[in-house]
Amino acid sequence: MEAKRQDLNVFGMTCAACSTRVEKSLNKAAGVEKANVNLVTESAAVYYDPDQISAEQLIDIVKHAGYDAAEKMSKEEKDAVLDKQFKREVRRFILSAILALPLLLTMVTHIPYLHHTAFAMGVDAIISPTIQLILATVIQFYIGWRFYDGAYKSLRGKSANMDVLVALGTSAAYFYSVAEYVRQLLNPNVVAHYYFETSAILITLILLGKLLESHATSKTTQSIAGLLKLQSKEAVVIREDKEWKVPVDELAIGDVILVRPGEKVPIDALVLSGETSIDESMISGEPVPVEKKAGDTVIGSTVNFDGAFQAKVTKRMDETVLSTIIQLVEEAQGVKAPIQRLADKISGIFVPIVLVIAVVTFAIWMLAGGGFEQALQVAIAVLVIACPCALGLATPTAIMSGTGKGAETGILFKGGEHLERTSKVDTVIFDKTGTLTEGKLKVTNMLDGHSDFKAFAVVLESQSEHPIAKAVLAHLENEEVPAVQAEKIRAKAGHGVVGLLNGSKVSLGSYRFISSSAAVPKDADDEMKVWMEAGRTIVAMSIDGDFAGAFSLQDTPRKEAKEAIARLRDMGIKTAIASGDQRVVVENIAKELGIDAVYAEQLPNDKSELVSGLQKQGRVVAFVGDGINDAPALATADTGISIGTGTDIAIETGDVTLVGHQLTLVPQTIQLSRATMRNIRQNFFWALAYNCAGIPIAALGLLAPWVAGLAMAGSSVSVVANALRLKRIKLK
């Protein structure tokens, strides 16, 4: 029996280890052939034998692994669940911050030379040990329970992640403080040392980091919903010589559809009759509409400009080009689960070592006759000095500082994992139209062979919304032209426009259209052929059968594009251009800007396959684009960089969004990500340096717990101060 697919929504996953654990649990189940779990979309695709296992049992397996699951919801239902979870986390953070604030004040009582000041004594008097205990207990076990739960799941899965470190460190500080509280209750003369604020503040800060990360990644799946909105809802189908408006989903292969000017093409089809031009920029990215006639194919969701036509449906709705783009985006996002945090990797080694050292220390002190209380105090000092305050802050503080600097500069990262991947980029591929170029046609040359050429061009082009017409009118907007008597102006679909102007028969359109019916002088013909060889678009005019003039149009590079490419080259990064335009045009742009490699006549899936091919060669690829046609490549790339002035789909699919359209932000993005990752590594060094230096001292009984607390505070301060240096970095 063919395997059945069951899509599930999985809730509660917080890191790559979570998705791996769910995936392993599902794959071990009898009857499951394959399970893919996607952390980004919080979903699982399970291929299973329904005779051996049911969908309900699959959900039970996920729940047994420690996570919530449900059969795939609609976007609205899932958004409602996620919104509810996010609001709950916001409320918990606010409560934690409010409760932790009084405890923060008590830190002054641990600082030598300050704990006898009037302020410190006032804090001690107002925030008594009992109040501290109550506040810390609520934070530790109500707000911070998620870390215990996560640590349990991680340890059950035979791994140690950040949750284990947080649970271990906060518990050491909290329970030591509880023990001190009990000791002072039993003997009021005892001088107790409390560290309730250590656990409370750590939990609060980590909650803040997770909240910010959750908010930054909350829109990663909206690109697919945006693509779905592009699909037509209805189509006009011709049946029994009558026109019927039907839902697009009801169209079948072989149906004949009618598409009028200004309408979207409802589905992929083959033109049977009629001529027109189609705006295919959604797919190709190119601003010049494509001429269509009988025998040509048209693509669903593209826009019909100026002619009605009938076409035969050639593909089902789930087989169209747009559906393929949607599928490519889904598949690419499915393999983009965030990489395991470096902190989790360190904790996998660090936590077991600390536990072993603490146990061995306790045993040695007991055997040496130190007594239970002293042995316990030394062991707790080891755990306190190993508390992961700085280790827990190392990544989020640097990422918050780096992403904050990026936001000030106009670079928006969607999450820390994207910032990390960007630092490793060694190849940058640019889309051409709208990314490296202005994205709109401009007149570059003009041949004026008749006194009425400009005036007639203004009259004829003003009748059209065609991008070429707009470019010609923009070029002539400052020209003073005489009034023209115009009659019988009509569009000649796919070719141009004709009319009777001042009593003369005038035609304006493509070079092929004009040269087929008018005599073109050799010098003008040679000039226009030079334009065509350079990949430019030609608009020519004939008056009463004689050549009257012509325009050449081209999409021009952005002013800062050459500078951006040069900076990338100086950073040792290879550059390439991928475009749906013809090769001669793309090669000219690449040569002008100094780009290393050229990939022309690329459809959306070609761009995606290009990225995949380079990745298989070991390259770390960033793709820079702005259009719907770039969405698959943006999703497939290690880092998708979206231009902020581009389409919503491109912006939502990309990992990084550049606000505005300054291409110099591309090298700055990579520079900032490299600086941030370097800062994180420095933070890890300082975070662990305090621990590694303090643990042996604590194990020898030479470090009191309050000194260990100061060491933890010192490591945290150094990490935060180092992270804040990113705010002052100068991006070139």
Side-chain angles (χ1 to χ4, degrees):
M1 177 181 288
E2 185 178 350
K4 184 178 179 181
R5 173 171 170 158
Q6 177 65 53
D7 291 310
L8 303 175
N9 287 119
V10 182
F11 301 102
M13 298 186 295
T14 58
C15 66
C18 298
S19 57
T20 301
R21 188 154 52 247
V22 174
E23 192 167 280
K24 284 182 178 179
S25 298
L26 287 168
N27 281 317
K28 286 179 181 178
V32 174
E33 291 190 9
K34 184 181 180 182
N36 294 316
V37 178
N38 185 345
L39 177 62
V40 175
T41 58
E42 293 189 296
S43 63
V46 187
Y47 297 87
Y48 69 103
D49 183 351
D51 290 338
Q52 296 188 55
I53 192 170
S54 66
E56 290 75 16
Q57 288 173 311
L58 294 175
I59 292 174
D60 289 340
I61 290 171
V62 176
K63 289 183 176 179
H64 181 71
Y67 305 90
D68 291 328
E71 292 191 30
K72 191 170 184 179
M73 306 173 182
S74 67
K75 182 181 182 300
E76 291 74 19
E77 290 173 331
K78 185 179 178 184
D79 285 348
V81 172
L82 294 177
D83 185 58
K84 185 177 180 181
Q85 289 180 345
F86 184 75
K87 288 179 178 177
R88 183 172 65 244
E89 292 303 316
V90 170
R91 289 194 297 270
R92 287 191 176 184
F93 165 71
I94 292 173
L95 176 61
S96 184
I98 292 172
L99 296 178
L101 184 59
L103 294 173
L104 181 64
L105 297 176
T106 66
M107 292 188 72
V108 71
T109 64
H110 299 317
I111 302 175
Y113 311 113
L114 290 181
H115 60 274
H116 290 307
T117 62
F119 177 75
M121 288 187 286
V123 169
D124 268 342
I126 297 172
I127 308 173
S128 67
T130 301
I131 293 175
Q132 292 182 47
L133 174 63
I134 294 171
L135 295 175
T137 301
V138 175
I139 295 175
Q140 188 76 26
F141 297 109
Y142 173 65
I143 297 170
W145 181 254
R146 58 181 295 175
F147 299 112
Y148 286 105
D149 186 48
Y152 167 71
K153 292 173 185 174
S154 179
L155 294 172
R156 189 176 64 182
K158 300 179 181 179
S159 64
N161 63 0
M162 195 68 210
D163 287 338
V164 175
L165 278 173
V166 174
L168 174 67
T170 58
S171 295
Y174 173 82
F175 285 111
Y176 176 78
S177 300
V178 171
E180 288 287 277
Y181 179 81
V182 172
R183 197 160 67 96
Q184 193 174 52
L185 278 181
L186 298 175
N187 184 0
N189 296 321
V190 169
V191 178
H193 298 284
Y194 300 111
Y195 300 96
F196 288 119
E197 78 285 349
T198 299
S199 60
I201 293 169
L202 176 61
I203 288 172
T204 304
L205 289 175
I206 292 177
L207 280 179
L208 175 61
K210 287 183 177 293
L211 203 60
L212 292 174
E213 184 176 1
S214 174
H215 179 69
T217 58
S218 63
K219 296 185 178 180
T220 56
T221 60
Q222 289 188 2
S223 58
I224 294 174
L227 286 169
L228 289 170
K229 289 180 181 178
L230 294 174
Q231 294 178 329
S232 300
K233 301 296 186 292
E234 293 182 323
V236 176
V237 62
I238 299 175
R239 292 172 181 165
E240 299 175 353
D241 295 327
K242 292 184 179 180
E243 297 178 9
W244 302 87
K245 186 170 283 190
V246 300
V248 173
D249 291 339
E250 294 182 10
L251 291 175
I253 294 176
D255 278 344
V256 177
I257 57 175
L258 173 64
V259 185
R260 296 185 175 90
E263 295 180 345
K264 277 187 179 181
V265 179
I267 197 167
D268 292 9
L270 180 71
V271 177
L272 297 176
S273 63
E275 293 184 346
T276 188
S277 57
I278 301 285
D279 178 4
E280 293 187 346
S281 59
M282 180 192 81
I283 302 299
S284 67
E286 302 310 314
V288 181
V290 181
E291 297 176 7
K292 298 291 183 179
K293 60 183 183 303
D296 291 336
T297 58
V298 289
I299 300 171
S301 301
T302 55
V303 179
N304 180 28
F305 261 127
D306 48 23
F309 65 91
Q310 292 184 11
K312 182 174 68 175
V313 176
T314 56
K315 293 181 180 178
R316 297 195 310 266
M317 198 64 189
D318 59 354
E319 297 174 336
T320 63
V321 172
L322 184 59
S323 295
T324 302
I325 292 175
I326 293 171
Q327 183 180 357
L328 287 169
V329 173
E330 286 178 330
E331 290 176 354
Q333 287 188 337
V335 298
K336 294 187 75 172
I339 60 174
Q340 185 181 14
R341 300 291 188 201
L342 185 56
D344 284 346
K345 294 179 181 179
I346 293 174
S347 69
I349 302 171
F350 185 65
V351 174
I353 290 176
V354 170
L355 288 172
V356 169
I357 292 174
V359 171
V360 170
T361 299
F362 179 82
I364 290 175
W365 277 88
M366 285 292 290
L367 293 173
F372 177 81
E373 184 177 342
Q374 187 174 15
L376 180 61
Q377 186 173 5
V378 173
I380 288 177
V382 170
L383 289 176
V384 170
I385 194 64
C387 180
C389 291
L391 191 59
L393 292 171
T395 298
T397 50
I399 286 177
M400 281 190 282
S401 187
T403 52
K405 176 67 176 180
E408 292 173 6
T409 312
I411 304 166
L412 304 180
F413 290 94
K414 286 191 176 177
E417 69 275 11
H418 306 306
L419 190 148
E420 182 171 352
R421 275 200 296 266
T422 304
S423 70
K424 302 173 184 177
V425 166
D426 57 27
T427 304
V428 177
I429 303 175
F430 290 89
D431 166 56
K432 180 180 76 69
T433 306
T435 301
L436 286 174
T437 66
E438 296 289 347
K440 56 185 178 181
L441 294 171
K442 289 184 179 179
V443 173
T444 56
N445 300 88
M446 181 176 70
L447 287 175
D448 187 352
H450 194 282
S451 59
D452 290 325
F453 171 62
K454 295 177 184 177
F456 287 178
V458 169
V459 172
L460 293 176
E461 295 292 37
S462 63
Q463 305 297 312
S464 174
E465 291 297 316
H466 199 289
I468 291 176
K470 291 180 179 179
V472 171
L473 289 173
H475 182 70
L476 298 175
E477 65 180 350
N478 295 322
E479 296 282 345
E480 292 185 7
V481 295
V484 175
Q485 184 178 354
E487 300 177 72
K488 299 179 181 179
I489 295 176
R490 61 185 179 85
K492 196 164 180 61
H495 298 293
V497 62
V498 297
L500 198 62
L501 306 182
N502 289 347
S504 297
K505 185 180 179 181
V506 183
S507 298
L508 181 70
S510 67
Y511 169 83
R512 184 175 60 185
F513 174 50
I514 300 302
S515 62
S516 66
S517 59
V520 181
K522 187 177 185 307
D523 58 342
D525 193 56
D526 290 342
E527 180 71 13
M528 286 189 288
K529 285 179 179 177
V530 170
W531 293 349
M532 286 188 286
E533 288 173 1
R536 297 174 188 170
T537 299
I538 309 298
V539 177
M541 179 187 292
S542 67
I543 301 176
D544 291 328
D546 294 323
F547 176 77
F551 301 96
S552 75
L553 299 95
Q554 187 178 26
D555 189 9
T556 55
R558 293 185 176 274
K559 294 179 181 179
E560 77 283 0
K562 192 169 185 177
E563 180 186 353
I565 299 300
R567 290 185 186 178
L568 289 171
R569 188 187 307 111
D570 293 341
M571 295 169 68
I573 295 171
K574 295 290 184 182
T575 56
I577 182 171
S579 172
D581 209 346
Q582 54 185 310
R583 176 163 290 277
V584 63
V585 178
V586 185
E587 287 179 343
N588 285 337
I589 293 288
K591 184 177 180 181
E592 182 178 347
L593 299 180
I595 292 175
D596 300 316
V598 172
Y599 302 93
E601 300 172 12
Q602 299 277 301
L603 294 175
N605 58 321
D606 296 326
K607 293 180 181 180
S608 178
E609 289 172 4
L610 168 63
V611 172
S612 297
L614 290 172
Q615 289 171 329
K616 289 175 183 176
Q617 295 174 22
R619 312 294 293 184
V620 181
V621 182
F623 189 94
V624 185
D626 73 325
I628 295 165
N629 61 305
D630 299 323
L634 287 167
T636 304
D638 296 284
T639 298
I641 302 178
S642 306
I643 302 299
T645 52
T647 65
D648 291 340
I649 306 302
I651 292 170
E652 290 169 3
T653 305
D655 306 312
V656 182
T657 297
L658 306 183
V659 179
H661 198 145
Q662 285 296 314
L663 287 175
T664 48
L665 290 175
V666 175
Q668 289 180 357
T669 297
I670 299 173
Q671 181 189 356
L672 178 60
S673 63
R674 289 179 176 179
T676 304
M677 292 312 300
R678 184 166 57 248
N679 190 279
I680 289 173
R681 287 191 288 270
Q682 292 169 351
N683 284 349
F684 279 132
F685 170 79
W686 288 110
L688 293 173
Y690 283 89
N691 295 122
C692 293
I695 287 174
I697 297 174
L700 292 172
L702 302 176
L703 194 65
W706 71 268
V707 178
L710 283 178
M712 284 190 293
S715 65
S716 297
V717 169
S718 65
V719 163
V720 172
N722 188 49
L724 291 176
R725 290 192 308 112
L726 287 169
K727 289 284 189 178
R728 299 192 299 272
I729 187 174
K730 292 184 179 180
L731 300 176
K732 299 179 181 179

